[in-house]
Amino acid sequence: ALKEKRLVQSLLTKDGKLSVVLINLQLDKKDANASVRVTEEMEVIREEFREKYPNLRIDNGGSTAFNTTLARAVQSDLTRLMPLSYIIIFGGLFLFLKSFMGASAIFILITSCLLCTFGLFGWVAPVLTPVAGFAPSILLSIMVADSVHVLVTYFSQLRAGNSKKESVSASLSLNLMPIFVTSVTTIIGFLSLNFSSSPPYRDLGNMVAFGVLLALIFSLFLLPSLLMLLPSKNAFQKSQNQWMESFAELVIRRKREFVIFVSGFVIFLAVFIPNNKLTDNWANYFDDSVPIVKLVTRIDGY
């Protein structure tokens, strides 16, 4: 093999320490799990050869292995990061709102939105790409932002001595237009991904847009209903917002200085925009602990 010029420096290194076997696959485009099944079969064969030739190092890579790695990474993130995100969000809401009831209401809201969003796409488009795995993280932040506005105003009205009904009504009156405008503009932004040439990103845009629409509807209908049903004893406690009032007074008093400082800060950071480089090196998508990244690193060494 080392005497074959067409192999050396293409499928074989000069020292003979690294060789590559290329396999062309014709995968069924209608089979969403074709890459995963091929990779799993390849891993079985790889382990058999590793046992048979323990003195050789055998790995598998390529686009099929990459697609499988991406799917596994997204699945791992969903099973690990989603529960962690829920815990952090719930803990943060409880810490800042000082209300277990308020945090629970938002928890119910975001869970309902996520279930409805993925349920709909399981009905109309049961095949989801790994890119769709980013949707829950995007939706969590948007859902919390919508509901927190309603909840904070509701608690403020309660502390002012209003009844639950009056507080809910006042909260909806004050927040209806801001939430509606924010949600509509967000929906338009994500629907613009339908102009993308990549179908997975079109699916992501449609999924997030529908989730934002659900978040809008649930924030205006489900959340107020929950506030009327759930107890709100902690909400009647007077809050100590002296530090926030002091901060607000500082900003108002030093408004010119803050405008100059922030404007200068924005210009300073904007100068570094040309340093951004556009690339599509998929090896950078994963952590160094992923086997396929280790393989690419070893190959690059040759």
Side-chain angles (χ1 to χ4, degrees):
L2 290 173
K3 295 179 180 179
E4 180 59 55
K5 295 182 179 180
R6 290 176 297 177
L7 296 180
V8 178
Q9 294 297 90
S10 60
L11 300 180
L12 184 67
T13 57
K14 290 182 179 180
D15 56 10
K17 292 183 179 181
L18 175 66
S19 62
V20 179
V21 177
L22 294 181
I23 304 174
N24 294 323
L25 301 174
Q26 297 294 333
L27 301 179
D28 185 3
K29 295 182 179 180
K30 297 180 180 180
D31 187 355
N33 296 319
S35 296
V36 176
R37 284 209 297 271
V38 169
T39 302
E40 290 176 347
E41 291 291 337
M42 187 66 203
E43 290 171 346
V44 172
I45 298 174
R46 181 193 64 190
E47 294 304 319
E48 293 177 354
F49 274 86
R50 283 179 174 177
E51 294 179 2
K52 190 175 182 179
Y53 304 100
N55 59 318
L56 298 180
R57 183 161 193 165
I58 304 173
D59 294 295
N60 61 300
S63 59
T64 304
F66 163 72
N67 292 335
T68 303
T69 302
L70 181 59
R72 290 173 175 174
V74 173
Q75 183 179 9
S76 176
D77 289 345
L78 288 176
T79 55
R80 294 185 298 107
L81 298 183
M82 280 299 296
L84 180 61
S85 299
Y86 263 92
I87 294 174
I88 294 176
I89 290 175
F90 185 83
L93 290 172
F94 179 74
L95 175 65
F96 291 112
L97 296 176
K98 301 294 191 297
S99 172
F100 180 81
M101 180 277 299
S104 300
I106 296 180
F107 182 86
I108 296 173
L109 178 76
I110 60 179
T111 302
S112 301
C113 287
L114 288 177
L115 291 176
C116 291
T117 301
F118 278 88
L120 174 73
F121 275 82
W123 179 35
V124 300
V127 179
L128 294 177
T129 60
V131 176
F134 304 136
S137 300
I138 300 173
L139 289 173
L140 276 176
S141 58
I142 297 174
M143 294 170 185
V144 171
D146 284 348
S147 54
V148 162
H149 287 299
V150 176
L151 207 59
V152 169
T153 307
Y154 168 74
F155 285 155
S156 177
Q157 293 295 320
L158 283 180
R159 286 191 290 267
N162 296 327
S163 64
K164 294 177 66 174
K165 182 178 179 180
E166 293 172 340
S167 300
V168 169
S169 178
S171 180
L172 290 177
S173 299
L174 291 172
N175 294 291
L176 176 60
M177 189 55 64
I179 293 177
F180 179 79
V181 172
T182 302
S183 299
V184 169
T185 53
T186 303
I187 291 172
I188 294 174
F190 278 100
L191 286 179
S192 65
L193 288 177
N194 283 282
F195 295 100
S196 172
S197 58
S198 175
Y201 283 97
R202 294 200 292 264
D203 293 339
L204 174 65
N206 292 330
M207 179 179 292
V208 175
F210 179 74
V212 174
L213 177 61
L214 285 178
L216 170 63
I217 296 174
F218 285 8
S219 296
L220 299 179
F221 293 95
L222 177 61
L223 182 58
S225 302
L226 289 173
L227 295 179
M228 291 297 299
L229 294 175
L230 296 175
S232 55
K233 295 181 180 179
N234 294 337
F236 291 97
Q237 298 177 359
K238 295 290 182 180
S239 61
Q240 301 296 328
N241 289 327
Q242 294 181 354
W243 68 273
M244 182 59 70
E245 294 176 358
S246 300
F247 176 73
E249 292 176 357
L250 174 64
V251 173
I252 295 172
R253 188 170 60 254
R254 301 288 185 180
K255 52 184 177 295
R256 298 181 185 275
E257 291 86 343
F258 277 112
V259 169
I260 296 174
F261 172 76
V262 174
S263 300
F265 185 69
V266 171
I267 295 174
F268 171 75
L269 293 182
V271 171
F272 298 97
I273 290 179
N275 291 339
N276 291 321
K277 304 298 180 182
L278 296 177
T279 180
D280 193 26
N281 186 357
W282 54 263
N284 296 330
Y285 290 3
F286 308 104
D287 186 77
D288 293 338
S289 61
V290 178
I292 195 170
V293 176
K294 295 180 179 179
L295 173 63
V296 173
T297 303
R298 288 199 300 271
I299 293 177
D300 289 341
Y302 284 90

